[in-house]
Amino acid sequence: MTYVITQNCCKDASCIPVCPVECIHPVGSPGSFTDTEMLYIDPDVCIDCGACQEECPVDAIYPEERLPAELARFRDINARYFEHNPLQPDIAEHLDAHSAVQQGTLRVAIVGAGPAGCYAAEELTRTKGVEITLVERLPVPFGLVRFGVAPDHQHTKNITRLFAETLNSGTVNCLFNVEVGSDVVHDELMAHHHAVIYAVGASASRTLGIPGEGLPGHHSAAEFVGWYNGHPNQAHLDFDLSGNRVVIIGNGNVSLDIARILLSPNAVLATTDIADHALQALEASAVREVVILARRGPRQAAFSLGEFLALGQMSDVEVVIDDHGLDADPSDDVETAVKLEIAREYARRPSSAATKRIVFRFFAAPDEIVGDDRVAGLRVTPTELGADGVAVPSGESEVIESSLILHSTGYRGSEVPGVPFDAATGTVPNAGGRVLDESGQPVPGVYVTGWIKRGPRGVIGTNRTCAEQTVGALWEDFDAGELASDIRDRVELGELVATRDITPLDWTDWMVIDAAERESGAASSRPRAKFVDVAAMLDAVRR
Ligand code: NAP
């Protein structure tokens, strides 16, 4: 008997150190980002102890005999990974916790309470004596876990239990509803902390740079995801769901999330924490077809195999894919080989009686969003793969008709006033987490972690190794005496914040909001009913 890692794997790698026979791979060291989509268990080495399952924060690990039917294929996928990547005796290099420091000698501000900030806090709280201020512009924590992870992926949201342990540990002083750059500025944070770690993510969208982008009916994936997840900045938006077809440009996991949300039965969505306004709008939706468009081929697809496999199990949805470019190639890595296998299976499936379809179009680049006063369609040009792996146009363009077009072509970070920023990449220039100035020199005491550090790639748990690397650099600088010593204390920070016209919230306030959301969700058997505007969140605390 063996344990099996499945679709939901967050790559946080909590399972790796607890495995007594080191059969979970690939193993990374702090800052070395392994390039697989998920982790795998070697069935020939697993001793069936169950330690990994107990440790997994997102319930992605099952004993093989209890694998749910829809995940059964992961037994084979785990085994195949090791056929191609025989187990090497390379053991995870996890940094030992730094030895305890005297209270008051290391006070760190972390900006952003999403997964990157929470993992940085967790890493720092392993050392006694460290004081942490966690600053978050919204009144609620958890960033992308609350506002990015799709509502039908509730298991992934379980990671917040781990974060809550850290944030509620007494070491972390939460300052929610406080924006760095306006309510308090970078220099003020620096004056009250020995170090500041920016974990502000990448919430803006890349633009397409094609004509028609400004037409009503064209939106970014970030807007649509924020809308269905009840982000206060997007909750008020309207999306035209009156047409039969939606086109999504780009085929990463965000595109697949959106396709599922658009086509899932309302009864399924109604069991999740999707925002109420989105649930109502989707109930009235006329959308029956989602076209997922890629400028390159299936071999270059950005979606991960678990998410791709899950589409084929949706009820009343047919996955349509043409069989061009799906042939196996012995040089493919396991994940690509399995994706192509799944794609061939979809291509071979006889047409079903399903009333909805997800159509994968490959080798089609977006050229222009067409329409007079609003979106009527997307002009696409066929492509082929150039020698350097880039899509090059080849052939006559055509228009795919649609009244709603979403571009899901990746995110980018935004500048925080006072902190270096590279507008070309949408990240903060850094070396292993140390922020660099214009001349490439480290800015003392300033660090980054998460998407603002390495760009919008990787799953929730990737932020753990990322935080280990950044916090490792911070400790090196602390030990070398390179952090400022003459700083003001926590009381003075509180006095400064009190002079601003803002309502800072702390962990206890979040607990009140959390309880209110859970209580109102329970009335309709949902995990929570989210507050979607800041005023409602503040009202819940005052009540
Ligand atoms: P992504 O994985 O980077 O995918 C972006 C897609 O946009 C690619 O298909 C890319 O194609 C395409 N693209 C970029 N520029 C384009 C252009 N100008 N014209 C046409 N297509 C263009 O981004 P994402 O989906 O936003 O995901 C971000 C990260 O979050 C990923 O690491 C993802 O795995 C992760 N995530 C994971 C989950 C999950 O595990 N369930 C869910 C959501 C997000 P090219 O390859 O040709 O550039």
Side-chain angles (χ1 to χ4, degrees):
M1 223 265 293
T2 177
Y3 278 75
V4 178
I5 304 186
T6 65
Q7 178 194 346
N8 208 31
C9 173
C10 73
K11 273 191 90 179
D12 143 310
S14 309
C15 52
I16 289 180
V18 299
C19 173
V21 291
E22 291 153 15
C23 71
I24 305 177
H25 278 237
V27 168
S29 49
S32 73
F33 301 105
T34 55
D35 57 6
T36 59
E37 294 166 1
M38 53 181 279
L39 301 174
Y40 301 97
I41 291 178
D42 187 339
D44 292 336
V45 181
C46 174
I47 55 165
D48 185 24
C49 70
C52 55
Q53 187 191 27
E54 270 178 40
E55 201 66 21
C56 176
V58 292
D59 306 329
I61 304 181
Y62 293 82
E64 66 175 329
E65 81 280 4
R66 264 186 266 140
L67 264 177
E70 69 278 13
L71 298 175
R73 193 166 185 158
F74 283 92
R75 184 187 292 115
D76 173 53
I77 294 172
N78 276 247
R80 277 174 66 182
Y81 175 79
F82 291 95
E83 283 164 23
H84 293 258
N85 304 278
L87 199 51
Q88 303 289 331
D90 57 343
I91 298 167
E93 254 183 64
H94 279 289
L95 293 180
D96 290 334
H98 191 280
S99 51
V101 295
Q102 204 186 336
Q103 198 78 27
T105 53
L106 183 60
R107 187 173 312 117
V108 182
I110 300 173
V111 183
C118 289
Y119 276 120
E122 191 200 6
E123 190 58 30
L124 282 164
T125 52
R126 292 169 66 209
T127 296
K128 280 207 168 60
V130 181
E131 293 173 12
I132 299 164
T133 312
L134 181 63
V135 193
E136 163 60 52
R137 70 191 162 109
L138 289 172
V140 294
F142 306 139
L144 265 192
V145 181
R146 179 177 168 108
F147 296 117
V149 172
D152 60 342
H153 278 176
Q154 289 296 315
H155 281 310
T156 306
K157 292 176 190 254
N158 287 343
I159 196 89
T160 57
R161 291 188 230 148
L162 188 83
F163 298 156
E165 273 174 36
T166 299
L167 271 48
N168 196 22
S169 64
T171 315
V172 183
N173 175 26
C174 294
L175 266 185
F176 300 154
N177 202 32
V178 175
E179 179 147 18
V180 174
S182 51
D183 298 332
V184 293
V185 298
H186 172 72
D187 286 348
E188 290 168 335
L189 277 189
M190 290 303 293
H192 292 82
H193 299 88
H194 301 94
V196 179
I197 301 177
Y198 284 92
V200 292
S203 53
S205 293
R206 291 189 190 134
T207 51
L208 286 172
I210 60 173
E213 273 194 274
L215 282 173
H218 170 236
H219 304 266
S220 67
E223 288 173 323
F224 194 71
V225 170
W227 172 75
Y228 66 59
N229 273 327
H231 191 294
N233 291 359
Q234 282 95 30
H236 62 281
L237 296 176
D238 271 325
F239 295 89
D240 180 358
L241 300 174
S242 64
N244 173 64
R245 177 188 293 137
V246 173
V247 177
I248 309 177
I249 302 168
N251 70 1
N253 284 328
V254 171
S255 299
L256 272 53
D257 282 350
I258 293 174
R260 281 197 328 278
I261 297 303
L262 281 167
L263 297 182
S264 288
N266 218 251
V268 170
L269 297 178
T271 63
T272 74
D273 65 351
I274 191 169
D276 288 344
H277 58 253
L279 188 62
Q280 281 159 22
L282 288 163
E283 184 158 29
S285 163
V287 178
R288 291 290 171 271
E289 177 176 300
V290 176
V291 178
I292 297 181
L293 198 75
R295 58 184 172 181
R296 301 193 291 159
R299 194 163 259 106
Q300 292 76 36
F303 52 72
S304 50
L305 71 89
E307 299 304 321
F308 189 44
L309 188 60
L311 296 183
Q313 287 149 4
M314 287 178 70
S315 81
D316 197 26
V317 174
E318 181 175 4
V319 179
V320 179
I321 200 164
D322 77 33
D323 57 4
H324 177 61
L326 300 183
D327 293 338
D329 181 329
S331 65
D332 287 334
D333 62 62
V334 179
E335 289 172 340
T336 306
V338 176
K339 270 186 219 174
L340 290 172
E341 257 172 47
I342 298 166
R344 287 194 295 274
E345 288 167 19
Y346 288 150
R348 281 198 301 265
R349 275 188 191 176
S351 189
S352 74
T355 64
K356 302 178 207 166
R357 320 194 316 155
I358 298 177
V359 181
F360 282 90
R361 291 271 314 254
F362 295 102
F363 296 111
D367 264 353
E368 180 187 2
I369 295 170
V370 296
D372 294 331
D373 50 0
R374 58 162 301 109
V375 165
L378 179 71
R379 184 180 302 286
V380 298
T381 297
T383 64
E384 54 191 38
L385 214 55
D388 51 1
V390 172
V392 287
S394 75
E396 293 290 306
S397 68
E398 62 163 311
V399 172
I400 307 173
E401 288 180 12
S402 174
S403 52
L404 177 59
I405 296 174
L406 303 170
H407 75 274
S408 180
T409 51
Y411 289 72
R412 53 177 284 114
S414 305
E415 186 168 4
V416 176
V419 181
F421 185 68
D422 178 351
T425 59
T427 57
V428 170
N430 72 94
R434 287 185 182 92
V435 171
L436 303 178
D437 65 16
E438 275 179 10
S439 59
Q441 293 305 307
V443 183
V446 188
Y447 304 86
V448 274
T449 189
W451 279 6
I452 195 66
K453 166 185 172 187
R454 60 178 206 279
R457 284 179 305 278
V459 287
I460 302 288
T462 315
N463 293 300
R464 185 172 182 195
T465 8
C466 195
E468 278 180 19
Q469 184 191 44
T470 295
V471 171
L474 191 155
W475 279 123
E476 273 174 31
D477 296 347
F478 174 83
D479 290 338
E482 284 168 16
L483 303 183
S485 52
D486 183 20
I487 58 153
R488 296 181 201 134
D489 62 21
R490 273 185 159 176
V491 175
E492 288 168 300
L493 177 66
E495 287 166 359
L496 173 85
V497 170
T499 64
R500 307 290 145 93
D501 186 19
I502 53 176
T503 311
L505 304 188
D506 61 16
W507 181 257
T508 318
D509 297 321
W510 156 244
M511 297 300 287
V512 173
I513 295 171
D514 183 44
E517 288 188 340
R518 285 179 192 278
E519 195 185 320
S520 75
S524 45
S525 306
R526 304 175 58 197
R528 70 176 65 239
K530 285 180 183 171
F531 294 114
V532 300
D533 66 73
V534 168
M537 294 171 187
L538 298 182
D539 278 352
V541 175
R542 284 192 209 106
R543 238 178 266 144

